[in-house]
Amino acid sequence: MRRFLSSTYGAVIIVAIFCIALNLLIWNQQIQQLEADRKASVAAAIQRNNNLVLAFEQYTIKTIQNADAILKIVRMEYENVGKGVNILDLTSRQLFNADNFNGIAIIDETGKMISSNVSTTLTNDLNFRDRSYFRHHLQNKNDQLFLSKPMVSRTIKKPIIALSRRLQKPDGSFGGVVVVQVLPSTFTRLYAGAKTNPRDILSLISLDGITFSRRTGSIDGFGEDISKSPLFTYVKNKSVASYFAKDAIKGVPTYFSYRKMQDYPIIVTAGVAEEDVLAGYYLRASRDRLYSTVISILLILFSVLVSIGFLFRKKSLRKLKESEVKYRSMFQNSKDAILLLEPNGKIIDHNLAARQVFGLNPVAGNELNFNHHTGRAAFDFTGDLQGVESYNGEHLFTRTDGSVFNGEIASAMYNNSDGQPIIIAIIRDNSERKKIELKLISERKKRHQMITRQVIMGQERVRETIGRELHDNVNQVLTTVKLYLDMISKDQTLYSQFFSKSMKLIDRSIQDIRNLSHDLSAPTLGIRSLIDSIISLLENVKSSSGLQVHFCHHSFIESMDMDLKLAVYRIVQEQLNNIVKHAAAENIWIELSKSDEKIKLCIRDDGRGFNSSMNQKGIGINNIFGRARAFEGIVDLESSTGNGCTLTILFPVSIMPVDRAISTTATLEEI
């Protein structure tokens, strides 16, 4: 053990243990201090929330009690005066203060408003039988204050919360309700001028999860459904407490405090975002960690420097040996010929590949002197290297047996340990590569011949389609017209019977020829814009199918390659044919837009749809995918049974066709 500790490795280990132990002490103290700081920050935030909740609860109770006092005063006046009570008169007599409320009304048993302090010309036409507070008091005979969920007032046309009490006739039957309207923001008005963070939350929540009033930072809200919030799990177990969870609306991790009111079905909550609570903590933690990190780095550097002093000599010797092994391995195992030469062309050393390429003798490998090549392969590259650092090129070389090969050379000059210039040359026999290049040229020629044949075949298929359409449709119709005209020429009494039929058949032939032209001919995108061509196509679809087509192209700026324009047009044409034939749709929506990086095409319909998860696709869909891939387009096809179909394609703005010959072939097949 003593011998090990006195060795180089023993000294290095002792230094390392000292450094690790000291760093552990520093970071253990740092972690404990940061944890205590974090707990203190959270505790302060919870205490702040508790104070806010308590103050908010007292303000809410006061607001509700003030509203309830008004309800009781108005109800008492109604019981004394009857339906002739005038709320405006009560307000002018200052029997109560209605400044914090936005409307007081008396509604009779039929739902009709008897009196209100809100001026409106529609009062006589309003009926409130469907309101939740009216139905509640109609069904419940007890004298209980009722708070409604947020709703839009029919008198002031704003969202309000209705506080109401039941009116009873002398016989105890339902006589209507008295209502006070309160804006949801009235409850959070207490904190309107307070300094709050954008994510601070104050809210009044019903027991079923609907917010009566909510203030997030300086923004008021109401009516949100937060029934899935963990708040209600905590409320079941404890009516007053604090907890940590994500905000139910925006999903922000937040510390909450809450109180469930005893006299009203309301939960009061206050929350502050974790990020705001720990903002100061993070700043202090970052500063303290930086301080500890600097100390740790200094300790580590000190230890490393000490260890380097022990290990430098041993590592240097080992690295030198490893470098020699790597050099010899690379030198001998390289597939390229490597030669070390003196400036006069004498070979100093060579590898196995050099022996094979030049036919050198393993023992007398310097019989090939590069300063004295003869014939066409003569090449004094060592002379070229005089005064330069490197030389690269392609040349003919002569082997020791006199044979010649084509090779590539990369060479450079350096000085050895004695200061003598040495040339290192790497030579690659590229004879096989030349053969492969010739073969590729031949294959490319065959491929172009194949493409030409495909173009001719495509043209023949188009001619066959045109001939079949003319023979089966147009020819038959014109034959019938000729027959009708012959009959008229022989018997003029048949004019009224067959002339109109002949005109209809001629119109049909004209339409068939026009449709055939539109389907088979490429649009004149060189003359007309892409937008105009698509609009013309949509007009034909609309007139022939009765579909309602909606085309949005306001954000499209037309600056595209002509082949890409044609591809977009054909994709629209193909998808419209699919919709007309198979979708049984009533509406089609098409969007074409362009940004700095993408061109977006979206086609949507409200037809019967299909199962897009099936791998099988029809010819039309495959054509669309093929055209999009030719321009590196990304295709997204979404559809399900009964939900229509949405086709979205994104093209790169700067894309050009991958193979101009293939693009030309596709165009010729379409003509």
Side-chain angles (χ1 to χ4, degrees):
M1 176 63 70
R2 182 180 299 175
R3 182 178 179 182
F4 173 76
L5 293 176
S6 62
S7 66
T8 301
Y9 287 111
V12 171
I13 290 175
I14 291 174
V15 172
I17 291 174
F18 173 79
C19 177
I20 292 172
L22 196 56
N23 274 315
L24 288 175
L25 289 174
I26 293 173
W27 282 102
N28 181 59
Q29 180 65 27
Q30 178 71 43
I31 292 171
Q32 291 181 1
Q33 180 179 345
L34 290 178
E35 183 61 24
D37 190 3
R38 187 180 189 281
K39 290 180 179 179
S41 299
V42 172
I46 293 175
Q47 183 60 45
R48 173 179 175 270
N49 284 345
N50 291 338
N51 295 337
L52 286 174
V53 166
L54 185 59
F56 194 18
E57 180 188 36
Q58 295 301 319
Y59 181 76
T60 301
I61 292 174
K62 180 180 178 181
T63 302
I64 294 175
Q65 288 177 345
N66 289 341
D68 194 24
I70 293 175
L71 293 173
K72 291 178 179 179
I73 292 173
V74 173
R75 185 175 63 178
M76 181 178 64
E77 288 293 321
Y78 176 79
E79 291 173 352
N80 293 333
V81 179
K83 292 187 177 182
V85 65
N86 189 323
I87 295 178
L88 288 174
D89 180 58
L90 299 179
T91 305
S92 63
R93 289 159 53 191
Q94 297 184 349
L95 294 180
F96 49 78
N97 183 7
D99 293 340
N100 290 330
F101 307 105
N102 296 83
I104 307 168
I106 299 175
I107 301 171
D108 65 13
E109 67 275 13
T110 66
K112 183 178 179 181
M113 183 184 295
I114 299 174
S115 179
S116 173
N117 67 337
V118 178
S119 61
T120 174
T121 58
L122 302 176
T123 301
N124 295 331
D125 300 327
L126 298 178
N127 193 286
F128 302 88
R129 290 182 60 86
D130 59 332
R131 289 300 197 184
S132 58
Y133 55 83
F134 188 92
R135 296 196 304 270
H136 173 81
H137 291 301
L138 179 63
Q139 298 170 2
N140 295 274
K141 295 182 179 181
N142 56 339
D143 184 17
Q144 182 182 12
L145 177 68
F146 178 77
L147 280 78
S148 74
K149 304 294 173 53
M151 64 181 72
V152 177
S153 170
R154 291 176 180 170
T155 56
I156 65 174
K157 307 302 182 182
K158 295 180 180 180
I160 55 93
I161 298 171
L163 289 80
S164 60
R165 281 191 177 273
R166 176 186 172 102
L167 296 176
Q168 293 192 153
K169 295 181 179 180
D171 59 359
S173 62
F174 177 68
V177 294
V178 57
V179 184
V180 172
Q181 297 182 148
V182 184
L183 294 177
S185 59
T186 301
F187 294 99
T188 57
R189 187 180 300 167
L190 176 66
Y191 300 98
K195 183 178 180 181
T196 57
N197 296 313
R199 290 181 289 266
D200 286 354
I201 299 173
L202 290 168
S203 56
L204 299 178
I205 307 168
S206 67
L207 299 182
D208 59 357
I210 305 300
T211 58
F212 288 111
S213 180
R214 179 182 178 93
R215 187 177 183 86
T216 304
S218 60
I219 300 174
D220 290 318
F222 57 88
E224 299 98 338
D225 185 356
I226 60 169
S227 57
K228 295 182 180 180
S229 169
L231 166 68
F232 300 96
T233 302
Y234 289 97
V235 170
K236 289 180 182 179
N237 299 325
K238 199 171 183 181
S239 59
V240 179
S242 300
Y243 69 95
F244 175 75
K246 288 185 177 181
D247 173 25
I249 296 178
K250 295 186 177 180
V252 177
T254 305
Y255 289 95
F256 286 100
S257 294
Y258 68 87
R259 296 178 66 89
K260 180 182 177 183
M261 291 187 180
Q262 295 181 354
D263 299 329
Y264 304 105
I266 300 175
I267 304 171
V268 184
T269 69
V272 58
E274 180 186 32
E275 184 176 345
D276 296 330
V277 172
L278 301 179
Y281 160 77
Y282 288 139
L283 184 62
R284 293 188 296 274
S286 177
R287 180 192 61 202
D288 293 344
R289 287 194 185 102
L290 178 61
Y291 175 75
S292 299
T293 300
V294 171
I295 294 178
S296 297
I297 291 174
L298 291 176
L299 285 173
I300 293 172
L301 289 175
F302 173 77
S303 302
V304 170
L305 291 174
V306 173
S307 300
I308 287 175
F310 294 121
L311 299 175
F312 179 75
R313 179 178 175 80
K314 190 171 184 178
K315 286 184 177 180
S316 298
L317 294 175
R318 186 172 66 249
K319 286 183 178 180
L320 183 61
K321 186 176 180 180
E322 290 176 354
S323 298
E324 177 68 19
V325 172
K326 290 179 181 179
Y327 163 75
R328 296 308 306 179
S329 176
M330 293 170 58
F331 184 78
Q332 294 297 340
N333 296 325
S334 174
K335 294 182 179 180
D336 295 327
I338 302 177
L339 301 171
L340 296 181
L341 308 168
E342 293 180 353
N344 59 8
K346 182 180 178 180
I347 298 175
I348 301 173
D349 197 2
H350 62 277
N351 65 350
L352 179 61
R355 299 174 198 166
Q356 296 172 350
V357 170
F358 289 98
L360 296 175
N361 189 302
V363 178
N366 59 354
E367 69 271 19
L368 183 67
N369 192 301
F370 279 83
N371 259 343
H372 303 288
H373 269 185
T374 59
R376 187 165 181 264
F379 156 54
D380 185 4
F381 68 89
T382 56
D384 295 337
L385 275 172
Q386 299 298 327
V388 298
E389 295 182 354
S390 63
Y391 185 87
N392 299 279
E394 184 174 331
H395 299 276
L396 290 177
F397 293 92
T398 303
R399 299 184 179 92
T400 55
D401 60 1
S403 61
V404 177
F405 70 93
N406 187 285
E408 294 178 351
I409 181 170
S411 58
M413 180 180 288
Y414 69 95
N415 294 327
N416 62 11
S417 58
D418 298 329
Q420 298 297 321
I422 301 296
I423 299 169
I424 179 170
I426 301 175
I427 301 171
R428 174 175 298 176
D429 184 353
N430 59 6
S431 302
E432 289 298 323
R433 192 193 71 184
K434 291 292 184 181
K435 294 179 181 179
I436 294 174
E437 289 178 352
L438 293 174
K439 185 177 180 180
L440 288 175
I441 293 173
S442 177
E443 291 294 332
R444 189 176 295 112
K445 182 177 179 181
K446 292 179 181 179
R447 182 168 176 269
H448 282 294
Q449 291 174 349
M450 180 189 67
I451 292 173
T452 302
R453 288 196 298 270
Q454 290 178 347
V455 171
I456 295 172
M457 291 173 61
Q459 291 173 339
E460 291 301 324
R461 285 196 296 270
V462 172
R463 291 190 181 98
E464 182 182 350
T465 300
I466 295 173
R468 185 169 54 252
E469 286 292 327
L470 292 176
H471 180 272
D472 294 345
N473 293 328
V474 178
N475 187 52
Q476 298 298 329
V477 172
L478 293 178
T479 300
T480 302
V481 172
K482 182 177 181 299
L483 178 61
Y484 286 167
L485 294 177
D486 287 342
M487 294 173 64
I488 293 172
S489 65
K490 294 177 182 179
D491 187 354
Q492 292 296 323
T493 60
L494 299 176
Y495 179 87
S496 60
Q497 180 180 356
F498 291 108
F499 183 77
S500 60
K501 292 182 179 180
S502 299
M503 294 301 294
K504 290 180 180 179
L505 290 175
I506 291 173
D507 289 340
R508 174 183 166 187
S509 297
I510 293 172
Q511 186 62 40
D512 288 344
I513 293 173
R514 181 182 293 111
N515 292 338
L516 180 62
S517 174
H518 279 295
D519 290 340
L520 298 178
S521 298
T524 56
L525 293 174
I527 301 174
R528 303 175 64 185
S529 68
L530 176 60
I531 298 299
D532 291 340
S533 299
I534 293 177
I535 290 174
S536 178
L537 175 62
L538 298 181
E539 289 175 351
N540 290 335
V541 171
K542 183 176 180 181
S543 62
S544 61
S545 65
L547 288 171
Q548 294 298 318
V549 184
H550 313 275
F551 184 26
C552 177
H553 55 84
H554 303 296
S555 61
F556 180 76
I557 301 175
E558 190 155 343
S559 177
M560 300 167 55
D561 179 78
M562 186 59 64
D563 288 338
L564 181 54
K565 287 184 181 180
L566 180 59
V568 171
Y569 179 86
R570 288 304 188 194
I571 289 172
V572 174
Q573 186 181 47
E574 190 70 58
Q575 184 62 1
L576 289 176
N577 288 337
N578 292 338
I579 294 172
V580 171
K581 291 179 180 178
H582 308 295
E586 295 181 357
N587 292 277
I588 302 174
W589 294 269
I590 301 176
E591 177 189 355
L592 182 61
S593 60
K594 182 179 180 183
S595 63
D596 293 338
E597 298 179 354
K598 298 289 184 183
I599 296 172
K600 177 182 178 182
L601 173 63
C602 180
I603 305 174
R604 180 169 59 91
D605 67 79
D606 58 359
R608 62 168 63 99
F610 58 92
N611 188 354
S612 62
S613 63
M614 300 294 290
N615 291 329
Q616 296 181 353
K617 296 183 177 70
I619 296 175
I621 295 298
N622 284 328
N623 287 341
I624 291 173
F625 274 76
R627 292 182 189 276
R629 282 194 297 268
F631 292 85
E632 299 183 12
I634 301 174
V635 183
D636 181 26
L637 182 66
E638 296 182 1
S639 182
S640 60
T641 305
N643 294 317
C645 175
T646 300
L647 173 70
T648 304
I649 305 177
L650 298 177
F651 294 101
V653 167
S654 60
I655 195 63
M656 289 290 289
V658 176
D659 190 331
R660 178 65 66 176
I662 296 176
S663 175
T664 303
T665 302
T667 304
L668 289 173
E669 288 178 353
E670 294 162 350
I671 293 176

